[in-house]
């Protein structure tokens, strides 16, 4: 399982298998940087993936095939990711050891930090800091059953899972490409998908804290459906601003109630981060995922958290000329495709330890 870094770009593409949709992004790398070759999105029924588990493999596999076909992608090498409570990320201090000794040291240390049986997980790590006598390592563990479940869906679609990453790191990849100068402050990258909220706090090009919690856009949709007594599908369309005979004013009480719950969830994450960080303070929040597009959410959360909040702009450093998308379309698509684009930047063997 390869997890970190960026490298030269062979013929891979990003495949984001989300709870509500499949998204793909194919990039090409030239002398001037990256260009968008293709992208596509195919929605999934709500019961296809539940709590991060693929409950209807055939439906998911068919959606993957359709999305790849829709984008016109011919490469078979997909870069995929997982998220949720089956993964854990920890920053661990270690005494300085040689490269040869590091793998054994990581295995011993993992037994103290990973709440899963070691033989049930894939382990990976990245050295993110060193002094004369010590080193700081980001340790990652993901349950094998979760990874193999997603890899099986990809392979059943006739593709190869060339790299398996975490959603949180994919978000970091695209952020660092598009905002490379932001290394002087800790930035919380928060991707709020349909079912899971992924937080990755980055500073100086390294992840210093990551946490996933089961909270997402479906919380908003469920609240709307319950308050107005309408089906989930109609509530989802109304949430997205579609004309379905529901006024926005009728949605506001449900949206505000769930946004307060969201704010509390993020505060718990920040409190947990504060308990693990010596002196770091989050200076800015960057939102991605479908919830980042909710009207007024940036202002609401900025007021609640007391720090600037902005939307992710994953396409800002990408040449999108051939895609024939307007600036408004790129702004609208950006938060939704942040994970897929971050995956599209990955390539096999690009990790360096």
């Amino acid at each position: 399982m390869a997890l970190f870094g960026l490298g030269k770009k062979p013929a891979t593409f990003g495949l984001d298998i989300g709870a509500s949709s499949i998204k793909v992004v194919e990039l090409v790398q030239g002398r001037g940087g990256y260009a968008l070759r293709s992208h596509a999105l195919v929605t999934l029924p709500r019961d296809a993936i539940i709590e991060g588990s693929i409950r209807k493999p055939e439906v998911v596999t068919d959606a993957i095939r359709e999305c790849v076909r829709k984008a016109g992608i011919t490469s078979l090498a997909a870069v995929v990711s997982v998220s949720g409570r089956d993964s854990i990320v920890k920053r661990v201090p270690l005494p300085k050891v040689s490269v040869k000794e590091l793998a054994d040291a990581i295995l011993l240390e993992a037994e103290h930090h990973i709440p899963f049986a070691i033989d049930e997980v894939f382990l990976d790590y990245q050295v993110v800091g060193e002094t004369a006598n010590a080193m700081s390592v980001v340790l990652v563990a993901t349950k094998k059953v979760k990874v193999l479940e997603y890899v099986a869906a990809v392979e059943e679609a006739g593709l190869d899972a060339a790299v398996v990453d975490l959603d949180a790191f994919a978000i970091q990849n695209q952020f660092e490409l598009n905002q490379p100068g932001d290394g002087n402050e800790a930035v919380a990258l928060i991707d709020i998908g349909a079912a899971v909220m992924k937080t990755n706090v980055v500073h100086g090009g390294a992840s210093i804290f990551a946490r996933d919690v089961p909270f997402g856009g479906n919380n908003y949709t469920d609240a709307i459906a319950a308050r107005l007594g309408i089906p989930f599908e109609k509530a989802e369309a109304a949430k997205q601003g579609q004309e379905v005979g529901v006024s926005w004013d009728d949605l506001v009480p449900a949206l505000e109630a769930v946004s307060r719950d969201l704010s509390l969830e993020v505060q718990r994450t920040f409190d947990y981060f504060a308990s693990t960080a010596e002196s770091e303070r989050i200076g800015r929040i960057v939102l991605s995922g479908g919830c980042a597009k909710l009207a007024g959410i940036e202002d609401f959360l900025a007021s609640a958290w007391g720090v600037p909040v902005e939307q992710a702009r994953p396409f800002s450093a990408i040449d999108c000329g051939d895609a024939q998308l307007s600036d408004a379309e790129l702004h609208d698509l950006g938060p939704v495709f942040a994970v897929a684009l971050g995956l599209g930047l990955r390539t096999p063997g690009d990790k360096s330890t």
Side-chain angles (χ1 to χ4, degrees):
M1 188 167 71
L3 285 173
F4 300 84
L6 298 175
K8 291 183 179 179
K9 188 76 181 71
T12 59
F13 66 95
L15 170 58
D16 176 12
I17 304 173
S20 65
S21 64
I22 305 294
K23 293 159 291 275
V24 295
V25 167
E26 186 177 28
L27 303 171
V28 291
Q29 186 178 16
R31 293 181 180 178
Y34 290 94
L36 177 64
R37 173 175 283 170
S38 61
H39 71 287
L41 180 150
V42 171
T43 59
L44 287 172
R46 192 181 184 187
D47 58 353
I49 299 177
I50 300 175
E51 296 181 350
S53 177
I54 298 177
R55 302 296 178 87
K56 294 189 173 181
E58 301 87 355
V59 172
V60 173
T61 294
D62 287 346
I64 291 172
R65 288 197 194 99
E66 181 185 350
C67 200
V68 171
R69 179 197 58 76
K70 186 177 177 181
I73 294 172
T74 57
S75 169
L76 300 180
V79 179
V80 299
S81 60
V82 296
S83 65
R85 290 179 170 175
D86 290 330
S87 299
I88 188 168
V89 180
K90 287 237 177 178
R91 187 163 179 165
V92 178
L94 289 176
K96 187 73 171 286
V97 296
S98 68
V99 173
K100 289 184 178 180
E101 298 171 311
L102 184 56
D104 289 337
I106 288 293
L107 190 59
L108 290 173
E109 198 68 25
E111 295 180 350
H112 301 294
H113 293 277
I114 303 302
F116 314 130
I118 294 300
D119 61 351
E120 294 179 355
V121 301
F122 289 115
L123 280 175
D124 208 342
Y125 61 91
Q126 174 78 17
V127 178
V128 295
E130 292 186 63
T131 64
N133 301 310
M135 59 198 335
S136 182
V137 178
V138 171
L139 178 64
V140 183
T142 300
K143 286 187 177 180
K144 291 178 180 178
V145 64
K146 176 69 166 283
V147 173
L148 296 177
E149 181 180 83
Y150 277 66
V151 169
V154 172
E155 292 180 342
E156 190 64 28
L159 305 170
D160 173 41
V163 179
V164 179
D165 208 333
L166 297 186
D167 284 6
F169 295 144
I171 300 161
Q172 179 181 349
N173 287 346
Q174 62 82 23
F175 173 77
E176 291 176 349
L177 175 72
N178 290 287
Q179 302 190 43
D182 293 346
N184 296 323
E185 64 178 356
V187 180
L189 309 177
I190 303 179
D191 184 271
I192 311 173
V196 179
M197 177 170 66
K198 289 81 69 173
T199 301
N200 185 0
V201 181
V202 298
H203 190 191
S207 173
I208 59 176
F209 176 83
R211 183 174 185 243
D212 292 357
V213 296
F215 190 103
N218 287 345
N219 293 64
Y220 284 93
T221 309
D222 285 335
I224 293 168
R227 182 178 181 86
L228 301 181
I230 59 178
F232 180 89
E233 292 75 16
K234 186 173 182 178
E236 178 69 20
K239 183 186 73 174
Q240 296 178 10
Q242 298 177 28
E243 182 52 57
V244 289
V246 178
S247 74
W248 185 259
D249 289 343
D250 290 336
L251 303 182
V252 170
L255 295 177
E256 289 183 343
V258 178
S259 289
R260 286 192 291 270
D261 292 341
L262 170 63
S263 183
L264 289 173
E265 285 291 347
V266 173
Q267 189 59 58
R268 292 188 189 101
T269 294
F270 286 179
D271 289 344
Y272 187 29
F273 164 69
S275 72
T276 64
E278 295 180 0
S279 59
E280 296 286 355
R281 180 184 179 278
I282 293 171
R284 184 159 54 101
I285 295 162
V286 180
L287 291 178
S288 58
C291 275
K293 297 168 59 179
L294 278 175
I297 193 169
E298 293 171 54
D299 292 340
F300 178 89
L301 297 178
S303 175
W305 298 332
V307 295
V309 179
E310 64 187 63
Q311 276 192 19
R313 304 186 304 276
F315 293 109
S316 61
I318 305 293
D319 179 358
C320 299
D322 290 343
Q324 297 181 335
L325 295 169
S326 68
D327 290 343
E329 288 172 319
L330 289 173
H331 181 270
D332 187 57
L333 291 173
V336 177
F337 279 88
V339 170
L341 192 143
L343 295 174
L345 293 166
R346 292 296 316 275
T347 183
D350 59 10
K351 172 191 165 186
S352 60
T353 54

